[in-house]
Amino acid sequence: MLLTTAIDYTNGSPHIGHAYEKVLADVIARYQRLCGRPVYFLTGVDQHGQKVEQTASKEGVSPEAYVEKVTARFTALWEKIGVHYDGWAATTDPRHKACVQKILTDLKEKGQLYKKAYNGFYSVRQEQFLTDRDRDAEGNFGAEWGEVVEIQEENWYFKLSEHTEWLVDFLEKSDVILPQFRKAELVNALARNGGIDLCISRPKERLRWGIEFPFDADYVTYVWFDALINYISFVGYGNLDPSLPDFAATWEKVVHVIGKDIMVPAHGIYWYCMLHAMGFRNEEMPTLLVHGWWNIRGEKMSKTLGNVVDPDQLADTFGVDALRYYLCRDISTGKDSDFDLDRLVMLFNTELANELGNLCNRALNMSQKFTSGVLHCYLPLEEEDLGLQHSLVESLNLYREAMDAYDISKGLEALNRHVVNCNIYAERMKPWEMNKDPEKKQRVATVLYHLAESVAHCAVMLSPVLPDAAAKLAAQIDLPGLLDRKIDELAWGLVPNDHVIQKPSPVFPRIVPATPPDA
Ligand code: MSP
């Protein structure tokens, strides 16, 4: 599987939306590997374009120096929050430039590009040309376009309109848009924008910070045309550079994880049409996994509103586990969610510190105390034991179903369900009471075995989302290779009889929120 995220604009610092997307993709990659499916995870940064050029000039530095500084913030954050990628796409990389230029040359040779004069309106903020279809009901260009200027210039165009009929037909026949409800949005947009070709150049007198046209040195490449190509340039398209992966082997089962704002027109229309023009076949077309947005009290996060959430600060304040858990747990893939610090703290404290923490504490601490850390399951089993084993099978099935559908929140909900059942079982069995009765030593061991066996499974299921915490749990259970197991190997009985566990230590210390000064 080739799994990619959008490449982030390097004209500011990473915010919570960027972090969500990278964590989501990281979790998907880790889960796929848990299923034994090979994954190549590509992410990176989008470094060209007018916005970068403008911000760099405001700061009085070169665009090169500016993007280098901002890119370092992104790579440092991914390192800090455990986003592990296999390939890094930075669009100023000479290997990417060579690939974009080769594609432009190929498309020109195929008769897919032409030059034409244009007289009309241009949105500086969105870096795109506008048509009458972009006007609102009153005939104006809305605030979303920012400053709109009238310009006249000659540019290079891609014959997008030659591919839209194919695209409509392809979308109708395929399931490449996930979740499915987004497909209608794309099909409607295509019906509105289908007949228009795409302007893919910017004259250098207006923008210098881009990839030069290989056959017309007065122009640079439109930032979206350049950026979309990262998905193939960095996995070896065209065999241009031996340091990159083998394209034929890597370009398979491709999933692009993107936000809902960049499905139309960039990925859903431009990218599919570009790939089609390059000769990609229907079965080689990527899937778009379109996620929703994190908002603040229903409003978009924006620098202007001053409500942008900084993931770096959150990781420092609450820890990486709490941040990753929240970003996976409190949003359903495809839908929007409100970012809420109280919920971040509450979900960590309830589901991890209390529920899972309690289970681990009971299983591992009591085993240390009551059975000297030796786990043993004595027969015959009682109805409650079988009930707990059944709960695990059910949770595991639900977890797999949800994770296979990229619904991480549901996957965690399934895991949590078993954790809750384990605690109910412990409350019912009361091994701490039973232990007072010397006749019941074997029964105590069996109950603790059931709890510890559950912890082993939970560690594996949790590992895509919280790899570090899962590793700590696995170390305490001390089963060699526990986290190297594939999901198909998860079945009751991971822990052999008479296995000895390590000394436990808390993995999810409760978050104590700072008391507001006026409280
Ligand atoms: N550079 C383009 C993508 C080019 S891909 C060939 C871009 N960059 S971005 O920095 O603006 O956004 C990067 C990703 O972050 C996008 O998928 C976008 O949807 C996502 N998010 C930006 N803000 C977001 C939220 N508030 N919530 C969730 N994700 C959001 O677009």
Side-chain angles (χ1 to χ4, degrees), residues 6-9 15 17-18 20-22 46 224 227-228 230-231 258-262 267 291-294 301:
I7 48 174
D8 299 317
Y9 282 131
H15 58 66
H18 297 135
Y20 164 58
E21 184 175 286
K22 304 322 160 230
D46 188 354
W224 268 107
L228 288 162
N230 94 85
Y231 298 132
I258 57 165
K260 63 177 187 177
D261 56 316
I262 57 173
H267 286 80
H291 64 74
W293 270 43
W294 284 98
M301 257 179 254

Side-chain angles (χ1 to χ4, degrees), residues 250-465:
T250 317
W251 188 263
E252 58 146 18
K253 297 202 185 80
V254 185
V255 177
H256 297 321
V257 180
I258 57 165
K260 63 177 187 177
D261 56 316
I262 57 173
M263 177 181 76
V264 174
H267 286 80
I269 302 180
Y270 302 165
W271 183 228
Y272 282 131
C273 291
M274 284 164 69
L275 288 170
H276 190 242
M278 282 178 234
F280 282 66
R281 289 169 290 126
N282 284 7
E283 46 297 0
E284 293 170 318
M285 290 296 159
T287 292
L288 301 182
L289 176 61
V290 186
H291 64 74
W293 270 43
W294 284 98
N295 297 320
I296 303 283
R297 284 180 217 93
E299 279 198 83
K300 214 171 148 170
M301 257 179 254
S302 78
K303 279 189 208 154
T304 342
L305 291 173
N307 61 359
V308 179
V309 178
D310 175 4
D312 200 63
Q313 217 179 352
L314 287 178
D316 286 343
T317 312
F318 300 104
V320 171
D321 286 349
L323 176 62
R324 284 181 65 109
Y325 194 77
Y326 180 68
L327 289 178
C328 292
R329 183 69 180 99
D330 217 21
I331 190 165
S332 159
T333 310
K335 306 222 176 95
D336 289 354
S337 187
D338 261 325
F339 190 88
D340 183 337
L341 268 189
D342 291 341
R343 285 188 59 78
L344 182 150
V345 172
M346 184 278 284
L347 282 164
F348 181 88
N349 281 346
T350 309
E351 296 189 355
L352 295 177
N354 289 359
E355 291 165 352
L356 184 53
N358 216 354
L359 165 61
C360 297
N361 184 38
R362 282 170 159 163
L364 308 179
N365 258 335
M366 284 197 274
S367 298
Q368 285 294 346
K369 274 199 224 148
F370 303 157
T371 67
S372 311
V374 180
L375 300 174
H376 195 110
C377 181
Y378 292 92
L379 297 175
L381 296 178
E382 294 189 1
E383 203 183 314
E384 274 89 353
D385 308 333
L386 295 172
L388 194 75
Q389 296 187 13
H390 181 68
S391 154
L392 181 69
V393 172
E394 269 200 337
S395 279
L396 188 56
N397 286 344
L398 283 174
Y399 170 88
R400 291 181 70 162
E401 201 180 299
M403 298 295 280
D404 281 335
Y406 310 117
D407 196 341
I408 318 299
S409 177
K410 251 202 178 147
L412 289 174
E413 187 186 313
L415 165 59
N416 183 249
R417 188 180 295 187
H418 182 63
V419 172
V420 168
N421 286 341
C422 285
N423 284 322
I424 295 174
Y425 167 84
E427 297 287 339
R428 275 214 205 116
M429 298 294 105
K430 294 196 177 26
W432 53 90
E433 292 286 330
M434 272 200 278
N435 194 54
K436 294 176 189 159
D437 180 349
E439 302 269 285
K440 292 196 175 150
K441 289 283 180 203
Q442 291 202 344
R443 195 55 211 141
V444 170
T446 303
V447 168
L448 295 179
Y449 176 94
H450 273 70
L451 296 178
E453 172 75 18
S454 288
V455 173
H457 284 263
C458 290
V460 179
M461 285 196 265
L462 191 64
S463 64
V465 177

Side-chain angles (χ1 to χ4, degrees), residues 48 90-108 113 200 210-215 220-234 237 240 271 274 278:
H48 288 125
T91 51
T92 52
D93 188 320
R95 298 171 302 177
H96 172 71
K97 285 190 189 173
C99 187
V100 170
Q101 290 178 332
K102 178 184 159 35
I103 289 168
L104 285 168
T105 307
D106 288 352
L107 288 178
K108 182 160 174 281
L113 306 185
I200 57 162
I211 299 178
E212 188 178 285
F213 260 59
F215 41 82
V220 296
T221 313
Y222 169 46
V223 66
W224 268 107
F225 193 88
D226 155 3
L228 288 162
I229 287 174
N230 94 85
Y231 298 132
I232 53 176
S233 66
F234 286 97
Y237 179 74
L240 301 177
W271 183 228
M274 284 164 69
M278 282 178 234

